[in-house]
Amino acid sequence: MRELILGALVVGAFSGVDIEHLLDTPILGAETIVEVTGEELLGYGEGMTVEQRDGEAVVVTGPEFSFELALDLDPGTYSLAIESSAPDRGSDSLWLVVDGEQQPQPILPPVGPIAERSGGFSIDEAGAHSVSLALRESSGQVIRAVRLRRNALNIPQEPMLAELAGQHPRLYFTADDIPAMRARLQNPRVQDYYHPAGVLTRTPPAFNPDGRNGGAFRTLPNYALSYVLEPTPEKLAGIITWLEMATTYPHCGVDLDAEYFMEGIAYCYDWLYHDLPPDLRDRLRDTIVRQTTEVYNASLSGHTGGGLSFQQNHYWYAHLAMILGAAAVYGDVPEAREWLAWGWDRAERIFITFSPDGAFHEGPAYWDFSMPTLYMLVDLYERCTGLHVPWADTGLSGQAVFRFHHMYPGMEHGATLEDTTVSSRRPPTRLLLWEAKRFQDPVPQGIADLLKHDSTPLAFDFLWLDEGVLPGDPLVDVPLAQYYPDVETAFARTSWADDATWAALVSRPLGGHLWAEMCARYGLSGTGHNHPEQGHFMIFGRGEVLAHDPGYTYEKKTRNHNTILVDGQGQYGDGEMWPGPKPGRATITGFATEGPITIIAADPSSAYPEELGLTHFERIVALAGEDLVVVRDRVAADRPRTFSWLLHHIGAVEATDHDCLITRGGAQLSIQPLQPAQVTLTTERYLPQYVHPTRDHTPDEDAEIGLVTLETGPVAQTSFLVPLVIGAAGDAVPRVESIGDDSFDGVRMGEIVVAFRGDADEMTVPLPWGETLRTDARAVVATVRDGERLVVELPGATPGAEG
């Protein structure tokens, strides 16, 4: 394998792309066939009026708008580009029509400044052709220019190795590999994870012109691999029935459904190539060509799922669909060479924008959903090109541990961070196996051994298993607490026992630092499954969620999270369905851990819009053992404002004017606010917006969530000091004592002292065993456990809260 590394700058070995030239596409050349500008546009249609904008002539579309280019074209791929803008979201789309046939994807002019947008299409036969535009919604678009371009790829090297190009199967294995694969079935270690699927007896669905299509075909590789490993006529017949139906599908779009469909039929075409009836094989090839052509044309114009959002799962799915189709029929049709080359160019842009800390920004549910596409993209790229993906070594190594940290004690359920439903459970085993195999890493293999259930018939539980990787012990090898600096997420737990206390805190730019900077630099978007939640924490203890996150909502509100509101208002992106990149750069500013004690500090202040006047927000969360978490916040603003401190739960609540007790199952959480002195405590229940126009994520249980709010009157600055005492339901609640002086605020509960430095350079903290500690740490936890003294200090400066 080869890789191209120039100093510290890693470059795409196929296309030459690097992080400094992310949107440059030297592989793509384009010849302008026709260019029409200004008043000339009137000669090509109707329903247009000429206006002057910024000293230039433009046309404005009316209700009778039409535009048509009639000309001779040679076979090839083309793009119709328009420099345009739309007045609002009700008029920001135009249909592209070629030879009277409306193309699947509209052209989407931006709302606001004029910019170029395009749509792609193919011409199969030379001769006279018509390329036109038509209204999709309301009129009022401003058009400055229309250009018709013929696309051509400058392919820098062959996109598939010669030794693979001439044979089937070739995706994941060749015919020479099959005897060894069949022998693996006798290995008890393999049998623990995989058994071949039986006969496919379900009836395939017919194409639904009014709905989504393709998803049912995604399981076909399970049956195709089963046939390869244990061939029987009955197994093949069941698969053929489904492939026959697949050939009747005209298309499955250019987004998720395209990949679901292609994942099924492309692997079947390649793996079963010599077993399929020739006529069916030809028709299946034509179906793959038809679908891949559609995705390719859309991708050339940036119109696939995900647009140009290289770190958004829709983009990964759409381009995996194109790559699977191209790799399956490579050498069988000449166009596949261009499709695959363009696919690798797009894949390198995905790879280059991986989070560099082995983490993921869209939450554990979308980790489960999205990682299969990334792992297939890496596998197919490296297998077909012989090139190495160096970004996988940093961006994908460690992902299993990251996902493992989301598991609550007991290892059955997981945190509902970002767009994750409350039913979140263990991650798919195959994804843990992929990392163990690729990096020959015992840790993800040990996690897979710990979390897997029974043997499955899933193809990739076999293909991504390396039974030669010996498992480690994740309960020894994985730290109790870990901080991820790119996605600014920290996890902590007191032990790996089922009755441990677990906590997490998030404070980051939407998408993580690297992706946020790429979006700002290049005007990209695509952080849609992130929430406006910076400073948000969760707590799980005594077997129950105690500080809750409602998870997947369609109106993503700061109010749904355990953070702070300013004058009742939230952070950038508050109320949006799919928040895009924002200017905020929230961070985690400190992390200290030893044994069962972890202290996490965050600065979420820049996540709030400037008009809210927030000048300072420092949050420190101290996990001080199984029974105590303390949250200390210091906030300040440009003028007196109301600050609301939020904690969500799904339990029963008993509240007084000064504190409250939440009971959930066998656990309880006592909220005992000590600061500020003047604060109003209220409780309520409400239903977050779980309902989307096309789907409903309302949980079957605990849909309404409880909210405890601590609210100040209008103040310019204040501090919240809130001990959270965890215990078994019904137990007497220990009272927390407030301690402190001019140098620090703190609490004591039994043999635990937690102290937070104020504006002084140092603080002197009374320790549980009678001594004092003089320190410049920002926070200290001191405790006695099993007769042993333990002190954990969070170093670093603590700025004052004056703003």
Side-chain angles (χ1 to χ4, degrees):
M1 292 212 174
R2 297 165 283 155
E3 67 182 47
L4 183 60
I5 303 180
L6 303 179
L9 181 65
V10 182
V11 180
F14 186 83
S15 70
V17 66
D18 60 54
I19 205 77
E20 300 295 331
H21 303 88
L22 190 63
L23 296 189
D24 295 347
T25 52
I27 191 175
L28 177 63
E31 174 191 2
T32 299
I33 306 297
V34 175
E35 180 177 24
V36 186
T37 62
E39 294 187 32
E40 296 175 349
L41 294 162
L42 297 177
Y44 291 84
E46 298 178 349
M48 295 175 276
T49 57
V50 177
E51 295 184 6
Q52 293 291 318
R53 299 282 178 95
D54 298 325
E56 294 183 291
V58 300
V59 299
V60 180
T61 66
E64 305 301 320
F65 168 73
S66 66
F67 178 91
E68 181 178 11
L69 296 173
L71 66 173
D72 290 337
L73 296 176
D74 292 325
T77 61
Y78 293 82
S79 297
L80 186 73
I82 58 173
E83 289 186 12
S84 62
S85 68
D88 52 51
R89 291 297 183 192
S91 58
D92 63 340
S93 61
L94 294 167
W95 284 121
L96 171 61
V97 182
V98 179
D99 294 333
E101 182 178 346
Q102 180 178 291
Q103 300 303 292
Q105 304 301 316
I107 299 176
L108 305 175
V111 175
I114 292 176
E116 184 175 285
R117 297 292 187 269
S118 61
F121 61 94
S122 295
I123 296 296
D124 297 326
E125 297 182 2
H129 295 276
S130 168
V131 182
S132 58
L133 293 170
L135 293 176
R136 180 173 179 260
E137 301 173 288
S138 300
S139 59
Q141 298 87 3
V142 174
I143 302 177
R144 185 166 60 194
V146 176
R147 298 179 183 90
L148 179 65
R149 299 183 177 119
R150 182 176 182 181
N151 302 311
L153 291 191
N154 305 309
I155 299 177
Q157 55 189 291
E158 288 304 314
M160 183 173 285
L161 296 172
E163 58 265 31
L164 292 177
Q167 62 176 313
H168 290 286
R170 58 185 172 220
L171 305 182
Y172 280 96
F173 56 85
T174 67
D176 291 341
D177 298 320
I178 292 174
M181 293 166 60
R182 291 173 175 168
R184 290 180 61 204
L185 294 178
Q186 308 309 312
N187 187 316
R189 182 74 172 149
V190 174
Q191 294 169 0
D192 285 344
Y193 279 93
Y194 175 79
H195 61 271
V199 175
L200 178 55
T201 58
R202 290 180 290 115
T203 301
F207 183 79
N208 178 6
D210 298 319
R212 297 183 61 174
N213 294 279
F217 289 83
R218 199 179 185 190
T219 61
L220 284 186
N222 302 330
Y223 298 96
L225 183 66
S226 174
Y227 175 78
V228 169
L229 296 175
E230 293 181 345
T232 69
E234 293 79 13
K235 287 184 179 181
L236 184 61
I239 297 168
I240 286 175
T241 298
W242 278 69
L243 297 180
E244 287 283 0
M245 180 62 75
T247 64
T248 69
Y249 276 43
H251 64 83
C252 287
V254 295
D255 202 340
L256 303 177
D257 291 335
E259 195 284 333
Y260 303 158
F261 185 62
M262 194 65 75
E263 187 174 330
I265 66 174
Y267 284 128
C268 284
Y269 179 87
D270 180 61
W271 294 350
L272 308 180
Y273 186 89
H274 299 290
D275 296 280
L276 297 177
D279 175 67
L280 172 59
R281 187 174 63 222
D282 290 346
R283 286 183 286 115
L284 188 61
R285 180 198 62 219
D286 293 344
T287 302
I288 293 172
V289 168
R290 184 167 62 247
Q291 179 63 62
T292 307
T293 299
E294 183 171 346
V295 179
Y296 175 66
N297 287 336
S299 178
L300 289 175
S301 303
H303 284 170
T304 63
L308 288 176
S309 301
F310 305 121
Q311 276 303 298
Q312 219 280 333
N313 68 78
H314 289 256
Y315 192 87
W316 306 341
Y317 270 89
H319 288 86
L320 178 58
M322 180 176 65
I323 287 166
L324 280 169
V329 301
Y330 192 92
D332 300 341
V333 296
E335 302 94 327
R337 181 172 180 267
E338 286 196 359
W339 301 336
L340 196 55
W342 181 249
W344 298 147
D345 180 90
R346 300 292 91 186
E348 288 189 336
R349 284 157 172 77
I350 296 171
F351 301 154
I352 209 169
T353 53
F354 282 163
S355 177
D357 58 7
F360 180 68
H361 63 88
E362 289 196 305
Y366 275 90
W367 190 95
D368 297 350
F369 176 71
S370 304
M371 284 297 152
T373 65
L374 292 184
Y375 294 170
M376 284 189 203
L377 284 169
V378 170
D379 285 351
L380 294 169
Y381 178 96
E382 293 188 335
R383 180 173 178 83
C384 292
T385 67
L387 303 170
H388 181 55
V389 180
W391 307 281
D393 298 338
T394 53
L396 298 184
S397 177
Q399 287 285 346
V401 169
F402 176 74
R403 180 63 177 85
F404 188 52
H405 278 304
H406 287 82
M407 297 301 298
Y408 294 143
M411 297 298 164
E412 288 297 333
H413 296 88
T416 52
L417 291 168
E418 313 301 343
D419 275 351
T420 300
T421 63
V422 295
S423 60
S424 174
R425 291 185 177 271
R426 299 177 177 187
T429 302
R430 64 190 183 280
L431 304 183
L432 309 173
L433 297 177
W434 182 89
E435 187 179 337
K437 180 177 182 178
R438 188 184 197 282
F439 299 108
Q440 295 293 289
D441 189 341
V443 176
Q445 185 62 61
I447 297 173
D449 278 13
L450 178 68
L451 297 184
K452 78 175 183 68
H453 291 295
D454 296 329
S455 171
T456 81
L458 302 178
F460 287 91
D461 275 357
F462 179 83
L463 294 173
W464 286 345
L465 169 66
D466 183 344
E467 56 272 28
V469 177
L470 298 178
D473 183 351
L475 307 187
V476 174
D477 300 330
V478 177
L480 292 173
Q482 194 159 350
Y483 162 52
Y484 291 87
D486 184 64
V487 299
E488 296 287 9
T489 303
F491 300 95
R493 66 182 77 215
T494 55
S495 73
W496 292 109
D498 290 355
D499 62 353
T501 296
W502 171 99
L505 187 143
V506 177
S507 185
R508 63 157 172 260
L510 296 182
H513 286 292
L514 177 64
W515 183 237
E517 291 307 310
M518 291 302 97
C519 290
R521 179 185 298 186
Y522 298 115
L524 301 174
S525 62
T527 58
H529 292 289
N530 284 217
H531 290 216
E533 62 180 359
Q534 312 326 317
H536 170 60
F537 65 89
M538 295 186 69
I539 299 171
F540 182 100
R542 299 299 195 279
E544 298 288 350
V545 179
L546 299 175
H548 181 59
D549 182 326
Y552 204 144
T553 56
Y554 288 106
E555 186 182 41
K556 295 175 173 43
K557 297 187 71 66
T558 304
R559 182 179 185 264
N560 293 343
H561 299 88
N562 304 319
T563 185
I564 279 179
L565 303 180
V566 181
D567 286 340
Q569 304 300 306
Q571 301 170 3
Y572 286 116
D574 194 36
E576 296 180 16
M577 183 181 291
W578 313 118
K582 306 298 178 187
R585 295 293 182 268
T587 61
I588 288 176
T589 59
F591 179 80
T593 185
E594 184 177 349
I597 309 300
T598 300
I599 311 172
I600 309 164
D603 177 2
S605 57
S606 67
Y608 292 79
E610 291 184 3
E611 58 266 26
L612 295 182
L614 184 67
T615 57
H616 184 86
F617 179 6
E618 179 195 46
R619 164 160 283 182
I620 301 179
V621 176
L623 174 61
E626 294 82 0
D627 302 331
L628 180 64
V629 175
V630 184
V631 181
R632 199 284 294 267
D633 297 326
R634 304 181 81 202
V635 292
D638 57 349
R639 58 179 173 81
R641 294 181 182 268
T642 299
F643 296 101
S644 304
W645 188 100
L646 310 178
L647 186 141
H648 296 79
H649 64 90
I650 46 176
V653 62
E654 301 174 29
T656 70
D657 291 342
H658 308 292
D659 57 18
C660 69
L661 181 69
I662 296 166
T663 304
R664 168 76 179 176
Q668 65 184 23
L669 180 73
S670 173
I671 304 174
Q672 302 180 28
L674 300 176
Q675 294 179 7
Q678 301 298 318
V679 68
T680 301
L681 186 154
T682 60
T683 66
E684 63 179 292
R685 302 192 77 84
Y686 73 97
L687 183 68
Q689 179 55 272
Y690 293 113
V691 181
H692 181 271
T694 62
R695 52 194 180 274
D696 187 346
H697 280 299
T698 303
D700 294 332
E701 299 179 358
D702 301 315
E704 279 198 341
I705 60 175
L707 172 61
V708 177
T709 302
L710 306 177
E711 189 165 279
T712 70
V715 292
Q717 64 181 41
T718 192
S719 294
F720 291 90
L721 181 61
V722 187
L724 305 172
V725 180
I726 300 161
D731 283 359
V733 177
R735 300 310 298 176
V736 178
E737 174 190 359
S738 177
I739 61 174
D741 55 27
D742 291 342
S743 67
F744 79 96
D745 298 313
V747 304
R748 177 164 185 161
M749 189 182 82
E751 293 292 300
I752 305 172
V753 167
V754 183
F756 305 92
R757 181 163 57 87
D759 295 331
D761 293 333
E762 293 182 329
M763 61 179 172
T764 301
V765 180
L767 301 176
W769 45 88
E771 300 175 0
T772 59
L773 173 67
R774 187 177 181 86
T775 177
D776 63 356
R778 276 191 281 176
V780 172
V781 175
T783 185
V784 179
R785 297 177 61 90
D786 299 325
E788 297 291 327
R789 299 172 178 179
L790 176 62
V791 177
V792 178
E793 300 184 56
L794 177 70
T798 295
E802 292 78 12

